[in-house]
Every structure is written in C-alpha cells, then in structure tokens.
Amino acid sequence: MKKHIYIYSPSSAVRDKSGFKRGVVRLKSMGYEVEVDPDALAVHQRFAGTDETRLAAIHRAAASGADIALISRGGYGLSRILGAINYKAVSKAAAGGTRFVGFSDFTALQLALLAKTGATSWAGPALAEDLGAEDGPDDIMQACFEDLVSGQAEGTGWRLPKIRAMTPTDNGKTSVDASFSIAKTAAATRRTGDFQVKNATLWGGSLAMLSSLVGTPYLPAVKGGILFLEDVAEHPYRVERMLTQLLHAGVLAQQKAIIFGQFTHYKLQPHDKGFKMSSVVEWLQQRVKARVLTGLPFGHVPTKVLLPVGATVSLVVEERDAFVLWGHQH
Amino acid sequence: MKKHIYIYSPSSAVRDKSGFKRGVVRLKSMGYEVEVDPDALAVHQRFAGTDETRLAAIHRAAASGADIALISRGGYGLSRILGAINYKAVSKAAAGGTRFVGFSDFTALQLALLAKTGATSWAGPALAEDLGAEDGPDDIMQACFEDLVSGQAEGTGWRLPKIRAMTPTDNGKTSVDASFSIAKTAAATRRTGDFQVKNATLWGGSLAMLSSLVGTPYLPAVKGGILFLEDVAEHPYRVERMLTQLLHAGVLAQQKAIIFGQFTHYKLQPHDKGFKMSSVVEWLQQRVKARVLTGLPFGHVPTKVLLPVGATVSLVVEERDAFVLWGHQH
C-alpha cells in the first residue's frame, strides 16, 4: 500500500506555487499518495488563511490518518494560534503513526506540542522550498525523508568542523556573506575529546521561535536534554541576544549538549570588527557546562537531515564524527 | 552651580565620533558641566570595550555623583552583562539624585534595575544621535531634557492619531517606507472615550529588549501598569511575535494600558498583502483588556519625550489628548 502524505499550510501563504506543485509531483514520483488540504493555498494577508482556517487545517492534518503530515512552508503564523491548537488531537495522531514534519515557524507548534503532551514530531523539510526545489530536492534530505516515511530512520551523523583558534580578529572586514559561516569558519568544540550523552531528550529548531516561547506555557521544560538550533537572517548579535535569554532563563544550564545547525543569510558589518558567529559560539561555550557542537546539517539550507523533536536519543562524538541516534541499536 | 552630566558607553562602540563631539559641545553650550567617562570611546569588536570595561563604566557613572548619567549610544551589549551589574550601586545613585537616561539597548539595564531594586531611570535620548544630531537636537527632545535636568519635568502629552476603519485591505501594496506608520495611519483606540489610570507603574522601552527579558530574572513583574513600547527595523510580523510572547507569558494581562511609541525603519513587502503595523495594533486590542493607545512621541526618532521608567504615574485620555503625569499636581 502506498504511503500517504498530507500537505497543509499552518503558517505563511504559499507564494511559490511552482515550488508547491513541483513538490507534489516529486512526492508522487517517489511513490507516495499525496493529499492536499483544501486550504493549502489559502491567502489572508501574509498568512495561509485566517487563524481559524489554519487551525482547521492543522486539525484536518491530525485527523487525516496520513503517514506524514508535511507543511507547505514556514514563514510566520503559528505563534498567534498556539493557544487554540488541539494538542491532544495532534498527539493522538502522532501516537497513531502520523509523523508531523516541518521547520522554521513550525518549531512553535513542535515545541508547544512537546510541552503540552510530550509527543514527538519531526524537524525536517517543507514541501515547496525543499521537495519542490527548482533544481530538484537535495539528495541527503530526500534520503532522510524516505527513511522516515519507510520507518527506517534510526539516526543521523555529521562531520564536526575542524577546531581553529578562536581569537577574535579586529580587521574591520566589510560585509561578508556569512552563509554556512559556522560550518566553514567556527571552531567546533573548545573542549575536545570523545563524548557521549545517553537517553536524553532531543529538542530545538529555529532559535527565534524557541526564544519567543521563553516564559510562556509553550516552552517544554527539558532537563538533561540535547538542544539543536538554527536560524536564518539573524545577525550574530541577535543570535547571542536570543541565547542570552535562554541562558538567563536557566534553559541552557539544563542541557547536556547544544548543537548549532546552520545560521545563514545574515550580513556582517564593518562595525562588527571581528564579532562573528564563531565569537558567539565561543562566548556560549564559556558560559555553559553543556558541550557545544557545530556543523549539524539542519537549517534554512537545502541539505537538511530529519530529527525527532521530543524523542529520547543518544549523542555520540568520536573524534570529528558526531551521531544522534534514536533507533533501537544503541 | 552647573548641573553635571556624565557620559558613558555601556553598549555598542561609538562610531559617529562627530555626533559624539557635537553632543558634548551642545551640552556645554546649554550650560552644563560635562564629564566624559575614560572608556566612552573604547572599542572591542562591536562593543564599547570588553564586558569588564563596560561594566566598570556603568559603575563609574553610578559613582559619579552627576545629575544625569547619559549613554553615548545604544546598539547591543547590555544583555550579556546583566548578570554582573551592581544594581544596588545604580539604585543608590538614583536615590541620591543621579538620573540615568537612555533608550534602545539601554532598556535592558532600565528594566533589570527596576526588577532588582525598584529604582526609576529615564527613557530618553542618547548623546551622539540625539544631542549630537547633525542638524541640531530636536526642539521637543531638548526641552524635555532640560526640564529633567532642572527638575521641572512633571509629565508629557501627545495627540492621539485619528480613529480610522481598521478593515484589513488586501491590495498587495509594494514596499512602503513605513516610518511613523502608526502615528500616520493606524487607528488609535478601538474603544474610545475618556479614560484614566491613576497611580500606576510606567515601564517599557524597546520591545525587542523587553521581550528578550521574558522568563529571566531581569523582567520586572509590573501589575496594573502602563507599558510603553517602541522599536526600529522590526517588521510588523516580528512586532506581533514579540507581543505574542508578552501575551502568552501573562505580561499584557497585567497592564491597564499599552502605549505604542514609534515603530520605524521597517519595510513592508508585497507578500504582506495588507498586513501592517496597524493590523498588529488592532490584533492586540482584540486580545487584551488594557486600553491600547498609539502615537507616543518616543522611539528611534528625533522627537522623543522623556519618560520615568518605574515611576508611579497617571495616564489621562481626554478626547484625542493623552497625558502621562508624574508630577505632584495630579
């Protein structure tokens, strides 16, 4: 029997209709049955329909019985409806086998779901920009997605960036395109050496969404966890300010590991004078006991792995190889 | 005896040295004795010196015995040193007659000071961009500043914007420069009519800074308060997301009035399709019992009044005139 994928729009209106269509075609060509929510292309201001429309779409996705409930795109729109989502219905669907997949704005729903019910959802692609990418879906993303659909996903691994001296430079470099800057330039762990965290809750997603939940009932109280973070178009000083909030709120002291995914599409300024994303990573490592890792292939980038938000996982670091494992073999 | 003004740099490095110098000259020409902190022009990366340098500057300002301790500029830098500020020393200085004045990033210190000690500080200008403005300081700002220095400041008033229909339009307008958009285009109060709040705590400042304190020990727990907000270069959807955090954290339900200052220098996009700052004001008014007012002349704009953060004030609305009063006459 074909696996069943339900497409819906809980956040911003779909503007890239070609990407949307390409994504649907691609999923069908991969052998899946694709069901598109009746309001997947709705538009109200910048949203995919009114708050009521998007809530109904989320609840239809939960009632769909699909193997995968996949967002069409992120953007903005979940924050304002967090108080009206039927988390029990979503949790029940998750327990019944529907995997909720998405990222970016979707982080708000994922963390609220975890806070309210403990249910697991999946940090992963969106339909339009990932599966419907103009030059085809990224190979790694597609393989991870297919593993999830087939039930074979058991973990993910990546190569940690080389350790470098982190002395801040003060060279007044101008306007650098800093995409992938962490993976390319950041020092990885200051404290090196093999490292393991067994049976910890994996959680995280967009740092902006996560920090916007601090102090609200929608932030899960994860202790001894493994926190992964990514974001787009946030200058390092804003990233640091958001991390500061997590630090001052006591969230980071509760974690055993903090993993930086990709922070992309920001612009450094002459005024930064050597303050860059690696400065923030370095600053953070000096302030937390948790091991800080970088280079996770997840974020607003084509190559993204899928990660179970709320699942019990193990983290294994061996030299420069890092693994997050949630299968039964560890 | 000349009034004594102490200039220091707790946040970003001063880049506009001409503005800085013009500000000092201007203050002297206004008849004040101006003392410049030895590290006021220090530079470390994007900061006005290392964390230790800026902390020492804050503590020197507190020990200066000045009538006014005025920041050179805002930017970013206070968040990461909030845990190391000697709030008792600042509070003691405030009780001894030193008024701490600033805005933007300075909001973090002001709110933390209020949370930790209950001391009042002043939302007002910065040296370089306001008193050192290239074409001279704004008249209203300067008059308010002089009133504060001379001890004559007793309140401030402004004209509320006209009430307009707030039906969201869906006209796909492109890239509007939205400076002053609330004052110019937003509906003011949906619930109209005269209105008073007596003896309430006035607090607020930069919305980004305030929301970055939610869930931390540095957010004051103000009940029955009057909250004023402003920010720069934050798109309405981000403003809404920050307000959502305050809403979900229960902060807004505790306020009797919420006053929008100026939100400026953001760009609407075609994708917004009628979602604009007034949509956010409208959305907020539907979700809180507090009266929502707009048009306060405060923010990242030349014309800014001075406001006592943490003081007990009264708010009076009579037709389209609004007053915040902290003098003895009310």
Side-chain angles (χ1 to χ4, degrees):
Chain A
M1 206 177 95
K2 280 187 180 183
K3 294 288 185 176
H4 173 192
I5 298 183
Y6 194 90
I7 307 294
Y8 68 114
S9 299
S11 302
S12 281
V14 173
R15 299 292 171 197
D16 177 13
K17 296 210 173 54
S18 308
F20 184 95
K21 285 176 198 162
R22 278 193 303 268
V24 171
V25 168
R26 169 64 64 153
L27 288 173
K28 287 180 177 169
S29 77
M30 286 157 74
Y32 304 132
E33 179 200 335
V34 180
E35 184 179 5
V36 175
D37 184 83
D39 283 325
L41 295 173
V43 178
H44 172 70
Q45 296 174 337
R46 57 182 296 123
F47 307 101
T50 63
D51 291 356
E52 293 68 29
T53 299
R54 286 175 289 116
L55 279 165
I58 293 167
H59 298 145
R60 279 193 297 271
S64 68
D67 297 289
I68 302 280
L70 180 66
I71 62 166
S72 63
R73 63 161 298 191
Y76 169 72
L78 277 162
S79 310
R80 54 193 267 164
I81 57 175
L82 286 179
I85 293 172
N86 184 342
Y87 295 102
K88 272 195 188 164
V90 178
S91 167
K92 202 177 154 192
T98 300
R99 280 113 169 184
F100 291 82
V101 179
F103 79 117
S104 194
D105 192 51
F106 194 62
T107 298
L109 186 149
Q110 297 185 279
L111 296 184
L113 178 68
L114 179 59
K116 292 292 184 187
T117 71
T120 295
S121 61
W122 290 78
L127 178 77
E129 70 190 89
D130 291 309
L131 288 144
E134 197 157 7
D135 43 1
D138 176 83
D139 290 342
I140 291 172
M141 182 280 295
Q142 183 171 333
C144 292
F145 184 79
E146 289 178 320
D147 280 352
L148 177 66
V149 182
S150 65
Q152 292 173 336
E154 295 190 322
T156 195
W158 73 102
R159 193 93 171 134
L160 297 170
K162 279 192 187 162
I163 294 161
R164 288 230 220 153
M166 299 204 58
T167 317
T169 57
D170 192 22
N171 53 11
K173 258 190 236 163
T174 53
S175 195
V176 176
D177 183 338
S179 289
F180 295 87
S181 69
I182 288 182
K184 277 183 188 156
T185 72
T189 50
R190 289 181 64 250
R191 285 175 278 154
T192 57
D194 294 355
F195 175 70
Q196 283 203 9
V197 181
K198 290 242 173 193
N199 301 320
T201 301
L202 179 70
W203 68 302
S206 153
L207 174 58
M209 297 314 302
L210 193 151
S211 67
S212 80
L213 300 178
V214 174
T216 80
Y218 307 111
L219 187 78
V222 178
K223 299 201 174 180
I226 298 168
L227 176 63
F228 70 95
L229 302 167
E230 61 86 19
D231 225 312
V232 63
E234 298 286 0
H235 188 282
Y237 91 83
R238 297 181 73 110
V239 170
E240 187 182 282
R241 193 167 69 192
M242 293 189 276
L243 290 168
T244 300
Q245 183 166 22
L246 300 181
L247 192 66
H248 289 159
V251 173
L252 299 186
Q254 300 288 349
Q255 310 310 313
K256 293 204 171 148
I258 301 166
I259 306 176
F260 281 71
Q262 306 304 310
F263 285 76
T264 54
H265 300 97
Y266 59 86
K267 289 270 178 194
L268 293 178
Q269 298 148 359
H271 176 57
D272 291 313
K273 291 214 168 191
F275 179 82
K276 53 194 177 189
M277 204 60 86
S278 60
S279 318
V280 176
V281 175
E282 164 83 348
W283 169 88
L284 182 67
Q285 182 63 87
Q286 290 169 352
R287 274 152 190 81
V288 294
K289 284 187 186 168
R291 178 75 78 93
V292 177
L293 302 173
T294 61
L296 175 73
F298 186 76
H300 286 69
V301 292
T303 303
K304 49 168 74 78
V305 297
L306 279 81
L307 297 162
V309 174
T312 300
V313 308
S314 291
L315 169 68
V316 178
V317 175
E318 290 173 355
E319 297 189 352
R320 281 183 54 211
D321 293 312
F323 304 91
V324 174
L325 307 168
W326 54 87
H328 301 292
Q329 79 286 12
H330 64 282
Chain B
M1 207 180 94
K2 281 189 180 181
K3 295 288 185 177
H4 174 193
I5 298 184
Y6 194 91
I7 307 294
Y8 68 114
S9 299
S11 301
S12 282
V14 173
R15 300 292 172 199
D16 178 13
K17 296 209 173 55
S18 308
F20 183 96
K21 284 176 200 164
R22 278 193 304 268
V24 171
V25 169
R26 169 65 65 155
L27 288 172
K28 287 179 178 171
S29 77
M30 287 157 73
Y32 305 132
E33 178 201 336
V34 180
E35 183 180 4
V36 175
D37 185 84
D39 283 326
L41 294 173
V43 179
H44 171 70
Q45 296 175 337
R46 57 182 296 122
F47 306 101
T50 63
D51 291 357
E52 292 68 30
T53 299
R54 286 174 288 115
L55 279 165
I58 293 167
H59 298 143
R60 279 192 298 269
S64 67
D67 297 289
I68 301 279
L70 179 67
I71 62 165
S72 63
R73 62 161 301 191
Y76 169 72
L78 277 162
S79 310
R80 55 192 265 164
I81 57 175
L82 286 179
I85 293 171
N86 184 342
Y87 295 103
K88 272 195 188 163
V90 178
S91 167
K92 202 177 155 194
T98 300
R99 281 110 167 185
F100 291 83
V101 180
F103 78 116
S104 195
D105 191 51
F106 194 62
T107 298
L109 186 151
Q110 297 185 280
L111 297 182
L113 178 68
L114 180 58
K116 293 290 183 187
T117 72
T120 295
S121 61
W122 289 79
L127 178 77
E129 71 190 89
D130 290 310
L131 288 145
E134 197 157 6
D135 43 1
D138 176 82
D139 290 342
I140 291 173
M141 181 281 293
Q142 184 173 334
C144 292
F145 183 79
E146 289 177 320
D147 280 353
L148 177 66
V149 182
S150 66
Q152 292 173 338
E154 295 190 323
T156 195
W158 74 101
R159 192 94 170 133
L160 296 170
K162 280 191 186 163
I163 293 160
R164 288 231 218 151
M166 299 207 54
T167 318
T169 57
D170 192 21
N171 54 12
K173 258 191 236 162
T174 53
S175 195
V176 177
D177 183 337
S179 289
F180 296 85
S181 68
I182 288 182
K184 279 183 188 157
T185 72
T189 50
R190 291 181 62 249
R191 285 175 277 151
T192 57
D194 294 354
F195 174 71
Q196 283 203 7
V197 181
K198 289 242 175 196
N199 302 319
T201 302
L202 179 70
W203 68 301
S206 153
L207 174 58
M209 296 316 300
L210 194 150
S211 68
S212 80
L213 300 178
V214 174
T216 81
Y218 307 110
L219 187 79
V222 179
K223 300 201 174 182
I226 298 169
L227 177 63
F228 69 95
L229 301 167
E230 62 87 18
D231 226 312
V232 62
E234 298 285 0
H235 187 282
Y237 92 81
R238 297 181 74 110
V239 171
E240 187 182 283
R241 193 168 68 192
M242 293 188 277
L243 290 167
T244 301
Q245 182 167 20
L246 300 181
L247 192 66
H248 289 159
V251 173
L252 300 185
Q254 300 288 350
Q255 310 311 314
K256 292 201 172 152
I258 300 166
I259 306 176
F260 281 70
Q262 306 304 310
F263 285 76
T264 53
H265 300 98
Y266 59 84
K267 289 272 178 193
L268 294 178
Q269 299 148 356
H271 175 59
D272 291 314
K273 291 214 169 190
F275 179 83
K276 55 194 176 191
M277 205 62 85
S278 60
S279 318
V280 175
V281 175
E282 163 84 346
W283 168 88
L284 182 67
Q285 183 61 89
Q286 290 170 353
R287 275 155 191 79
V288 293
K289 284 186 187 168
R291 178 75 79 93
V292 178
L293 302 173
T294 62
L296 175 73
F298 186 76
H300 285 70
V301 292
T303 303
K304 49 168 75 79
V305 297
L306 278 80
L307 298 162
V309 173
T312 301
V313 308
S314 291
L315 170 68
V316 177
V317 175
E318 289 173 356
E319 297 188 351
R320 279 183 54 209
D321 293 311
F323 304 91
V324 173
L325 306 168
W326 55 87
H328 302 292
Q329 79 285 19
H330 64 281

